[in-house]
Amino acid sequence: MSRVALTFYCSAHDGEAVAAAVRDRLHLPVHLSRQAVLGRDFGDAGTGERVAGTLTRMAVEVELPDDRVDDALAAATGARRRLPFRWRTVAIVDGGRVE
């Protein structure tokens, strides 16, 4: 079974709700980091973000077996949120813990 890092990119306002939904469904640690996105694709932006030209996003990341991605997507989709989110998976080739 392969492991992946699944990252959701959602509005900063929606980040906590998406993270809680994923954590509660999968019972795995979820990492959050705030991001500023400069760009021209404002399809996911709120009105204020379109005016400012900067999207404030939260990256919600969880490491999980690749066969649980659909479950995580269902949890995030069902979370109470205001705006759409984007997501991607990246294969984890190696990893571990150093003490």
Side-chain angles (χ1 to χ4, degrees), residues 46-58:
T47 303
E49 293 175 319
R50 289 181 182 151
V51 171
T54 302
L55 285 75
T56 304
R57 291 287 169 263
M58 186 74 72

Side-chain angles (χ1 to χ4, degrees), residues 40-91:
R40 301 193 183 270
D41 181 6
F42 294 108
D44 300 341
T47 303
E49 293 175 319
R50 289 181 182 151
V51 171
T54 302
L55 285 75
T56 304
R57 291 287 169 263
M58 186 74 72
V60 179
E61 183 177 81
V62 61
E63 183 179 321
L64 69 165
D66 61 359
D67 65 351
R68 304 268 334 257
V69 170
D70 288 342
D71 200 22
L73 284 172
T77 300
R80 270 189 99 135
R81 54 191 168 73
R82 294 188 310 188
L83 295 170
F85 63 84
R86 295 176 188 257
W87 63 276
R88 72 174 175 202
T89 60
V90 177

Side-chain angles (χ1 to χ4, degrees), residues 10-22:
C10 53
S11 75
H13 180 269
D14 295 339
E16 294 284 339
V18 170
V22 171

Side-chain angles (χ1 to χ4, degrees), residues 1-22:
M1 180 178 324
S2 298
R3 295 192 64 75
V4 297
L6 170 61
T7 307
F8 299 98
Y9 299 97
C10 53
S11 75
H13 180 269
D14 295 339
E16 294 284 339
V18 170
V22 171

